[in-house]
Amino acid sequence: MAESNPRSVARRRFLLAAARGLAVAASLPLARPWAAQARGLSVPTGSAGQKVRAFPFDQLDSFLVPNESFYLRSHMEIPRIDPAAYRLKLAGWVERPFSLTLSEIGRLPAVRRIVTFECTGSSVGGGMVGTAEWSGPLLAPLLERARPKGGALELVMEGSDAGLDEFLPIPLQFARSIPLPLVGEVQPILALRMNGKPLPPEHGFPIRVVLPGLYGVLQVKWLARLTVVREPFRGFYQTQRYVAMQRTEAGAQVREVLRQRVKSQIARVEPLPEKGKGAYRVFGAAWSGGSGIAKVEVSVDGGARWELARLESRDPCAWALFTHDWTPSPGKHEIVARATDGKGRSQPLERDPSALTGYVNNWCHHKTIIVPA
């Protein structure tokens, strides 16, 4: 079986979209950098390490992705953090600010969740996505202990990673925020372990935030501080980077990057000799923003006809694995996968032409194969 891969075309489209988005972003007012120096945070010395690595999605063969294969996306160097000196601070617009040592956090009741992360800029068919089991205490009880004051609006999550931005010579500290009501809704975890092992340095040791159903940019690593605020957070990675923009009649409009959009990807199409001569299997995964996957449909003729795939799922915030067996005739076949989540939302067949940035990409994945005679 020979396979024709349209990744180069998809990459060109992504780069063009990203360039358009950067041009629009350049016209917006620059938010004040959320700099570590301005907040008095002692930022650990950085260590060189791999910052970007995709998971080889075509090698997907199990529900969980091993730690060493899980995708990476970091912006500054991996901070070196002394566990004995570590303190997690919870402060801001609260009645009872406090801090906890790593030992104190480790003694809190822990939960385990299987959660899929997807990088906000992951392309269709790309490998910036993965699923792992995360364990640690829930964030909500700590927030209740701090007692947010009336008018509290958002929770800012600050990482210990700081330095010059990879594209702009601006000193920054990585930080993102979520609406405060979302804490009770998604039940974030302060993850200490990943797939049953201590959290690796490249994945946020000693603690990272796990927000089930939200995009990877919100899963803040090397967590240093949680700050309750009563005004919208205007940090660089909140308003200038990782924002989705859409062309409208009124001009470019910023769209929220928060919940994962429903998406499916084909890992591979392979022969099944045990099923008989000429049998093939389509194998892949589908996920959504905490709503679970209701169905995945597969087309072997470019979208003219659809059939239901078989699903295996474990958690509504984790991907579902799908398979579809069929016996094709010799020749060229265009395979398409389309997922629908628990709220009835389905993937679009094609990319939205009004999108100005290369983020939250979720149109249907196409894969062309040639079956030999």
Side-chain angles (χ1 to χ4, degrees):
M1 176 184 68
E3 185 173 310
S4 174
N5 195 332
R7 288 181 180 177
S8 60
V9 175
R11 178 172 173 78
R12 286 196 296 272
R13 290 175 179 172
F14 174 83
L15 291 174
L16 285 171
R20 288 194 294 268
L22 287 173
V24 174
S27 66
L28 297 175
L30 183 65
R32 182 182 70 82
W34 195 254
Q37 295 87 341
R39 297 301 306 273
L41 179 65
S42 177
V43 179
T45 303
S47 62
Q50 191 174 19
K51 298 178 185 177
V52 182
R53 180 185 69 208
F55 166 61
F57 196 80
D58 59 353
Q59 297 178 23
L60 176 68
D61 62 1
S62 62
F63 197 77
L64 300 179
V65 175
N67 294 0
E68 61 273 14
S69 301
F70 205 92
Y71 85 90
L72 295 175
R73 180 65 177 101
S74 302
H75 299 82
M76 277 75 79
E77 301 298 341
I78 299 171
R80 296 191 185 100
I81 298 175
D82 179 2
Y86 176 84
R87 298 290 187 277
L88 174 63
K89 302 173 180 66
L90 203 162
W93 191 244
V94 297
E95 294 179 2
R96 297 176 60 183
F98 63 91
S99 65
L100 293 172
T101 66
L102 190 57
S103 295
E104 289 171 328
I105 295 169
R107 290 195 294 268
L108 296 173
V111 299
R112 295 187 296 174
R113 287 289 300 274
I114 297 175
V115 177
T116 294
F117 286 179
E118 184 186 11
C119 178
T120 316
S122 185
S123 60
V124 171
M128 301 299 282
V129 62
T131 298
E133 181 188 77
W134 310 91
S135 59
L138 291 171
L139 170 57
L142 299 182
L143 190 61
E144 292 173 4
R145 172 179 164 182
R147 295 183 184 176
K149 298 178 183 179
L153 186 64
E154 295 180 353
L155 179 67
V156 180
M157 304 164 291
E158 304 173 46
S160 294
D161 45 334
L164 294 179
D165 179 67
E166 58 194 330
F167 298 122
L168 299 173
I170 301 173
L172 297 168
Q173 178 185 345
F174 194 87
R176 287 282 302 203
S177 75
I178 57 171
L180 210 55
L182 204 57
V183 174
E185 184 179 341
V186 306
Q187 289 296 302
I189 297 170
L190 300 179
L192 300 168
R193 301 179 72 83
M194 178 181 182
N195 287 330
K197 301 177 182 178
L199 198 62
E202 64 271 24
H203 289 294
F205 174 85
I207 296 178
R208 78 176 299 167
V209 182
V210 172
L211 295 125
L214 306 191
Y215 274 108
V217 68
L218 293 135
Q219 321 288 346
V220 175
K221 293 176 282 191
W222 310 294
L223 185 65
R225 191 196 307 261
L226 296 165
T227 305
V228 176
V229 296
R230 52 178 173 166
E231 295 179 352
F233 176 58
R234 300 292 298 170
F236 179 83
Y237 293 103
Q238 187 87 11
T239 59
Q240 306 299 312
R241 186 79 54 78
Y242 297 108
V243 292
M245 297 182 185
Q246 199 142 7
R247 184 188 302 107
T248 69
E249 292 182 358
Q253 299 292 320
V254 175
R255 304 297 190 196
E256 183 179 55
V257 171
L258 194 63
R259 290 192 182 274
Q260 296 169 356
R261 296 183 181 180
V262 59
K263 188 174 182 179
S264 66
Q265 289 190 173
I266 301 166
R268 56 189 174 274
V269 184
E270 55 191 2
L272 283 180
E274 67 273 19
K275 293 281 187 176
K277 184 179 179 180
Y280 282 78
R281 171 167 291 170
V282 181
F283 176 66
W287 57 94
S288 186
S291 301
I293 297 298
K295 65 179 180 179
V296 173
E297 300 166 284
V298 174
S299 173
V300 296
D301 55 11
R305 293 168 295 181
W306 298 88
E307 295 184 34
L308 287 176
R310 293 187 299 275
L311 286 180
E312 176 194 353
S313 61
R314 299 188 186 181
D315 191 291
C317 292
W319 60 25
L321 302 181
F322 68 85
T323 57
H324 176 68
D325 298 348
W326 109 106
T327 304
S329 58
K332 186 176 181 180
H333 299 268
E334 185 179 359
I335 317 300
V336 191
R338 179 175 64 188
T340 300
D341 69 11
K343 293 187 176 180
R345 295 169 296 200
S346 297
Q347 291 177 266
L349 290 176
E350 303 292 341
R351 181 183 184 276
D352 183 353
S354 69
L356 294 171
T357 52
Y359 295 126
V360 295
N361 307 299
N362 77 321
W363 60 94
C364 287
H365 188 200
H366 294 239
K367 210 171 188 66
T368 301
I369 67 165
I370 298 175
V371 177

